[in-house]
Amino acid sequence: MSERKAALVTGAGRGIGRGIAMALANNQWGVVINYRSNEKKAFQTAHLIKDSGGTCIVLKADVSRLSEHRRLIEETVRHFGRLDLLVNNAGIAPRQRRDILETTANSYDKVMTVNLKGPFFLTQLVARKMIDLVEAGTVEAPKIINIGSISAYVSSPNRSEYCISKAGMSMMTMLYADRLAEHGIQVFEIRPGIIDTDMTSAAKEKYDRLIGEGLTSIRRWGTAEDVAGAVVAVVQGYLPFSTGEIINVDGGFHLRRL
Ligand SMILES: NC(=O)c1ccc[n+]([C@@H]2O[C@H](COP(=O)([O-])OP(=O)(O)OC[C@H]3O[C@@H](n4cnc5c(N)ncnc54)[C@H](O)[C@@H]3O)[C@@H](O)[C@H]2O)c1
């Protein structure tokens, strides 16, 4: 059995996923960098990891295509001999922000399939594999981490499909946490606030202004490293009696303030 634990991080070519992959590799994890289409970015992540002495492989798969899940898992286990962590990070915003009264079925299906249906069924297959690996004594206390969003509880009627997908992912976390506890598999949601990535670049000025006005208690943008730090904290194993927890990484955005 390989001593190095193995993590599968979806959408790890850039942004938060890249930050998570790099942080895990820095902590001696073997990492699978999954990407959908931008091979160059995925290999950039791999180079960054390898340059700092880490171990990783790059695997192409579209998480919204259920038919691609099995290969992703099989290749991970073939390479590392184990699978200790799934990070459901890949996600998209609607291509166009449209008022809820104008949202199209196409945009709804697209966002829901990438952000919720894909991760739901990928998790199902990974969970079955993890159960087998636990029973075989190959891994101990594997974990699943879902990258949610403050949009799970904040209304943005101009991207309703995104909000619904993240609210769904929150329930998905609870359901798998409950079901998998008997197998020693913990499931967590990490809930980022406003994080400086390509996803938020289109609304940079708006968020600069809101943060400057005090929207968040900690008055700065979050970074991919902030989110990655939470992932590393969870996988250290110091939360053995917790599951289904939400870890807010939002500078205090969720606090009610007066
Ligand atoms: N940036 C933020 O402020 C913020 C806040 C809360 C939650 N999040 C969530 O964090 C996650 C990462 O977001 P980010 O800000 O790094 O965005 P990003 O757009 O920079 O990165 C997302 C990555 O996922 C990949 N991806 C998209 N669809 C995919 C698919 N079908 N299969 C495989 N990979 C796919 C993209 O190619 C990209 O590399 C997302 O789930 C997002 O919803 C982001």
Side-chain angles (χ1 to χ4, degrees):
M1 188 216 299
S2 163
E3 285 302 310
R4 199 184 281 268
K5 289 185 173 181
L8 167 55
V9 184
T10 65
R14 70 180 199 192
I16 292 172
R18 173 181 284 184
I20 292 169
M22 289 175 60
L24 287 167
N26 278 338
N27 282 272
Q28 313 311 319
W29 282 69
V31 179
V32 176
I33 298 160
N34 157 253
Y35 75 102
R36 176 194 46 185
S37 54
N38 195 334
E39 188 179 59
K40 199 170 151 207
K41 285 271 185 193
F43 278 94
Q44 272 173 8
T45 304
H47 286 310
L48 288 167
I49 287 177
K50 285 178 181 164
D51 285 351
S52 49
T55 301
C56 62
I57 58 168
V58 173
L59 291 180
K60 179 179 167 115
D62 182 336
V63 301
S64 69
R65 295 193 182 177
L66 277 44
S67 60
E68 300 186 13
H69 291 171
R70 190 170 298 282
R71 182 181 47 81
L72 187 56
I73 296 166
E74 279 173 2
E75 288 189 20
T76 299
V77 176
R78 191 176 313 128
H79 186 86
F80 288 107
R82 55 194 295 160
L83 177 54
D84 302 83
L85 174 68
L86 166 67
V87 183
N88 280 310
N89 165 77
I92 56 169
R95 193 178 287 273
Q96 239 189 317
R97 289 189 176 196
R98 281 204 188 88
D99 182 74
I100 192 169
L101 299 182
E102 308 294 337
T103 306
T104 64
N106 262 351
S107 178
Y108 181 94
D109 285 346
K110 177 84 190 149
V111 171
M112 291 294 280
T113 309
V114 175
N115 292 5
L116 187 57
K117 184 177 175 186
F120 178 85
F121 285 103
L122 178 61
T123 300
Q124 185 188 68
L125 221 52
V126 165
R128 289 190 205 147
K129 174 58 77 181
M130 284 178 168
I131 291 168
D132 289 348
L133 293 171
V134 168
E135 286 174 0
T138 308
V139 302
E140 213 181 303
K143 295 176 183 37
I144 294 163
I145 295 178
N146 298 321
I147 305 301
S149 170
I150 53 175
S151 294
Y153 65 91
V154 174
S155 163
S156 302
N158 64 350
R159 51 193 170 113
S160 51
E161 59 275 60
Y162 182 78
C163 298
I164 293 167
S165 72
K166 292 298 184 179
M169 179 173 248
S170 207
M171 175 50 89
M172 173 185 140
T173 302
M174 285 196 266
L175 291 162
Y176 277 119
D178 184 23
R179 176 63 182 83
L180 297 176
E182 68 178 283
H183 300 285
I185 302 169
Q186 293 167 284
V187 187
F188 294 91
E189 176 183 344
I190 290 178
R191 185 174 279 179
I194 302 166
I195 311 295
D196 188 7
T197 67
D198 289 335
M199 187 181 269
T200 43
S201 59
K204 181 144 182 21
E205 278 170 25
K206 174 185 157 188
Y207 288 136
D208 275 344
R209 179 174 49 78
L210 291 173
I211 293 168
E213 288 168 2
L215 179 71
T216 51
S217 307
I218 302 173
R219 288 197 191 193
R220 66 164 174 87
W221 282 76
T223 64
E225 291 71 32
D226 290 323
V227 182
V231 171
V232 171
V234 166
V235 301
Q236 303 276 318
Y238 291 120
L239 300 170
F241 198 47
S242 304
T243 196
E245 283 300 321
I246 298 165
I247 299 169
N248 291 291
V249 183
D250 65 355
F253 175 87
H254 67 284
L255 301 170
R256 283 170 187 251
R257 294 184 294 154
L258 205 54

